[in-house]
Amino acid sequence: MSGYRLARGGRIDRNRPVAFRFDGRDYSGFAGDTLASALVAGGVTLLGRSFKYHRPRGLLGMGAEEPNALVTVDRGPARITPNLRATQVALHDGLVASSQNRWPSLKFDVVALNDVFGALFPAGFYNKTFMWPRAAWEALYEPVIRRLAGLGESPVARDPDHYDATYAHCEVLVIGGGIAGIEAALDAAQTGGRVILIDDQDDLGGGALSDAALWPLLTDLKARLAGCANVTVLGRTTAFGYYHQNFIGAVESLTDHLAPAEATGPRERLWRIRAGEVVLAQGAIERPLVFDGNDVPGVMLASAGRTLALRHGVAVGRAVVVMAAHDSGWRDALAMAEAGVTIAAIIDIRDVVPGDLAEAARAAGIAVHTGCAITHVSGRHAVKGVTFAAAGTGPERHIACDAVLMAGGWTPSVHLWSHGKGSLAWSEAWGAYLPGTAIENCRAVGACAGAWSLGSGVITAVLPNRKPVRAQKAFVDFQNDVKARDIHLAVQEGMRSIEHIKRYTTNGMATDQGKTSNLNGLQIASTVLGRPVADIGLTTFRPPYTPQTFGALMGHHKDALFQPVRKSVIDDWATAQGAVFENVSNWRRARYFPRGGETMEAAVLRECAAVRNAVGMFDASTLGKIEVVGPDAAEFLNRMYTNPWKGLQPGRCRYGLLLREDGFIMDDGVSARIADDRFHLTTTTGGAARVLGMMEDYLQTEWSDLDVWLTSTTEQWAVIALQGPMARAVIAPLVEGIDLDGAAFPHMAGREGTIAGVPTRLFRVSFTGELGFEINVPAHEGRKVWDAVHAAGQAHGITAYGTETMHVLRAEKGFIIVGQDTDGTMTPADMGLDWAVGKKKPDFVGKRSLARPDMDAPGRKQFVGLLTEDAGELLEEGAQVVADPDAPIPMPMIGHVTSAYRSAAAGRTIALAVIADGRARIGQTVFIPMPGRVIRAKVTAPMFYDPEGSRLNA
Amino acid sequence: MLEIAPLAVAGIDLATGTAAVNGMVSGLPVCIAPAAPLTRWSLRARDAGALSAAIGRALPDRIGVVIDGIARLGPDEWYALLPEGTVLPGGAGLPVSVVEVTARAVGFTVEGAGAVAALARGCPLDLAGFAPGRATRTVFETVEVQIWATAPETYHVEVWRSFAPWLWHSLAAGLALTAGLD
Amino acid sequence: MILIHCPYCEEDRPEVEFTYGGQAHIARPLDPAALDDAEWESFLYIRSNPRGRHAERWRHAHGCARFFNAIRDTVTDRFEVTYKAGEQAPDGAAR
Ligand SMILES: [Zn+2]
């Protein structure tokens, strides 16, 4: 093929030349060109290599259906987009694109040897050959196959672009901006409702853009559309998926058609559209013909040749042969001839064609050969000529030509219709499936509904040829290199359903989802099986209609906005102090506060010692909080928690243990009774939403007679935990309205008053084993109170500590952390929390399950402490524990380490674990096998500091 | 004044601050700004009459409707946005729940011809028919919010405090992007 | 994303406002202690998994916050009907 720019015609702007590069060479096109049209105009024939055989390939189509001309567009570092269809890449100044799937160059590709040995790679070859041995998959097959097969390369650098997303609502959504779509939008606009019209091209018009006779109508329709204030037109937008209840996903390309320097704002926008009615006007895709040599570069769809000539002013070659089975090929040939393209011949498989077409062709000086079929295409990197014969088997004749156009009929685009679960009905007239009955409020119009006159034709499976199909390189799926012979082979090997044939041959499984191959594949299978197409079925279309970027699908969830990171009101202070943070659920919390280059270990040892010896302060604001209010509040809590709540006096706090109905620990926390009918609950940071949801569930659906209501107050209160022997002294000057004396305000009491002038709920509670308070103040005052406490604490050596120190201090006391020391299979007894279970209560959530036989069976894992024989040895959390390290592998594992720290108070490392019958093993030695060695540890009670609890009441 | 911390998690650092942001969405002007200080109350009762009597105020009887600063969010749930300094009776001993949640949430106003488009970037509700006097709990992408239509083209958005920076920056990013300010 | 009709809000609302709550109409026994182990196991763990109509619980978590019940077809993902907690399943509804 030696394409060239026609002297006139097309919708391009010949006053605006555009320079671009392809595979390192400079080219020039015009504004209004696609990369494909500009390359063809520049005489480029070879545009890519095929996926499996790396065969040289040229352009096939004109739009989204293009299987061959996949290119990589380079918009600068990290902005490299592979696998774009050259037919849909708008030309802009400075565009840099390259072909794919070739090495070292497009013209000379070593993997094309695959093609020479093509007989070795029939359908099913991979399935059958690479099944054994299994290890070879990792070592050999997969890496080699990945190198040989594959599309463009993914960019490796971070994507610097940003993406937008929006929801939209309309009464009528029209998908497809050809004549039928525009008319549907104009009709819908009359009703006054909101109308959205989506089209994937730069310019509205669809197929009419390639038909000069329709341009005046198009101009008129577009003017009328512009006058409708209730119509939103989204150009360069692809509707990629049709979901339940008329929910459509679409991606609008915002900047890729612009030169990088002119591109501002987001690159793409995800549209999530809910429509009252959807009108599909997606048009139809022309079908290739299957014959020997139909993939030689220069063989393409007639509609592509027409589009190049009429829309872009480009001739696909200097001598063009049309191979038709459909009237549209003749019309295309005539239109191209009129536009100045030399049509050497029209060959039609039909014996009889409409008289007007034949006459017009003869009048235009075009040789006509009816009842004939192309039997061979000569040329490897470009078409040099064709041979054809009457009925494919008669004497062969030769025509020199440099382009072959295929007109195999039309396939209505029913992709979105099928996404929407609409039924399909086989149409003999079209030789294709048409929309049948809709499930959604949806209708199809224009060519995709079969309601557009494209002429008539015959549907063929493979063009007749003297050579057997197995000896022909007659391609069905150009992107996945599936030939007619592969489908024959699949049927021979016993595949009957099109779903099996598809998977065996990979027909239609490439990124183009078989837009040009599905129907031909079906037709061939039907012929070989001797059964009607409709009996063989049709493979399912699934979103996306065309490949979409991850960026578009993520919308604004990128970089800093990737997901909300929740921060407490103390976060700024911690940041200023140089805190190291960790994520806990979706909160970020200060983990430790290193001073002067301290390691985490050093910082945590210092923070722990400060709490034990003086006083520490900790931001506990992320704890979940629930206000439980109503006359039945105590009754409700009594049913939820394991322990009794009715007798708790206002002004007192209690540890609450929450089980799931299956008896396993779900959450815990200390809660206070503020008044007879008001409780202040706390939950773990990560469990807050889960606990509230579970409590609401019981309240709404099981005990809806109770007069009690739950309000999340997690974010209402900032919480400052003040812990250590000096805690009382620190807050004494700040607190008013509360008697802090130990007798008046004992451990597990709660009082209301003010601190630093701010109303507070002050609880005397401890998660460290030290004298401690939790200061609850309204969140917006939290920072002020934090600063006041910090200032007041200076005289007492106050030290801020983070979650790591909090974990160590509680571990020294054997306090559990739900979700770390428990894993969803632990009972209160397993964790040594029997004391928190109300034995006399008739019922609570999970109680009945605790009575199931396995819940206290011997051999259950129990919560214990571990002390390594080497006091400096720190166990790894999650490490498995065994009783006999010499047992044969796989050796029986009896438990695992749940927590392990360096303890300042113990002067050594400590660990917590859950071990089968652990309490009976106290004093025994267990073993923790690690790579290359075995660690010995002694089982202890889970308590490493102040077992009498004397410090609490200091 | 409400402080909207910059977001600096990874990659792009968004630091819009707390000043009102003006921009365009879908070619229409929008202004987002922190709302004036308010008191907030979560009000619950099985019997609206009991709650109304307990707090001495009228309550809307339809879900999604606002009367005098109180929205009905659900069959037994109301939410009050009242002037700073307002104190409601606690309803002690009554079959009601009155919980002050002033500090729990912060409010933004989203105003202008493009306000619906600005909210639609993350809210799946069709707000075109959401007339002044209506309020609902919903989501902006993954974050729970309340949207109150307070006047034509004017919306008050409530969001829990720790989600506010993300929401603010998400809204502001949409405006800036369209206005080409970034 | 589907739309779900909330029987409390009396509106079709987007799916992202809702959370799924498992099979409907499994009441917690009033006196769990009266159940033997097999009965309790059945209450805890045994659920139907029909192909087709399924009575299930949903919660309008980011709306009115109420739990309600629905008959949904597990093949088509269509909601046949939604109704308030405590109300009887409509006649002929799958259990
Ligand atoms: Zn609802």
Side-chain angles (χ1 to χ4, degrees), chain A residues 156-198:
Chain A
V156 291
R158 192 183 143 269
D159 182 356
D161 277 313
H162 49 263
Y163 299 82
D164 198 14
T166 191
Y167 289 95
H169 303 263
C170 61
E171 277 61 60
V172 180
L173 170 66
V174 181
I175 299 172
I179 298 277
I182 297 174
E183 286 181 340
L186 286 170
D187 280 353
Q190 301 304 311
T191 64
R194 295 166 293 179
V195 178
I196 297 177
L197 172 62
I198 286 182

Side-chain angles (χ1 to χ4, degrees), chain B residues 63 73 75, chain C residues 6-10 13 18 60 63-66 68:
Chain B
I63 295 174
L73 297 180
Chain C
C6 174
Y8 293 95
C9 294
E10 297 180 331
R13 301 277 292 227
F18 296 83
H60 194 186
C64 65
R66 305 308 293 183
F68 60 91

Side-chain angles (χ1 to χ4, degrees), chain A residues 778-853:
Chain A
H780 58 283
E781 306 273 27
R783 176 63 192 276
K784 172 183 162 186
V785 176
W786 176 276
D787 288 345
V789 171
H790 189 253
Q794 291 309 308
H796 306 280
I798 197 164
T799 300
Y801 65 96
T803 51
E804 192 65 24
T805 291
M806 178 268 282
H807 282 189
V808 177
L809 295 172
R810 66 88 205 177
E812 289 171 348
K813 291 291 296 174
F815 297 144
I816 67 164
I817 289 187
V818 173
Q820 173 161 342
D821 301 301
T822 70
D823 62 1
T825 69
M826 307 302 290
T827 67
D830 295 339
M831 300 308 289
L833 294 172
D834 280 12
W835 59 268
V837 177
K839 306 289 185 299
K840 285 184 236 157
K841 287 170 66 173
D843 190 18
F844 56 81
V845 173
K847 179 179 169 71
R848 175 63 185 82
S849 291
L850 294 178
R852 301 181 73 212

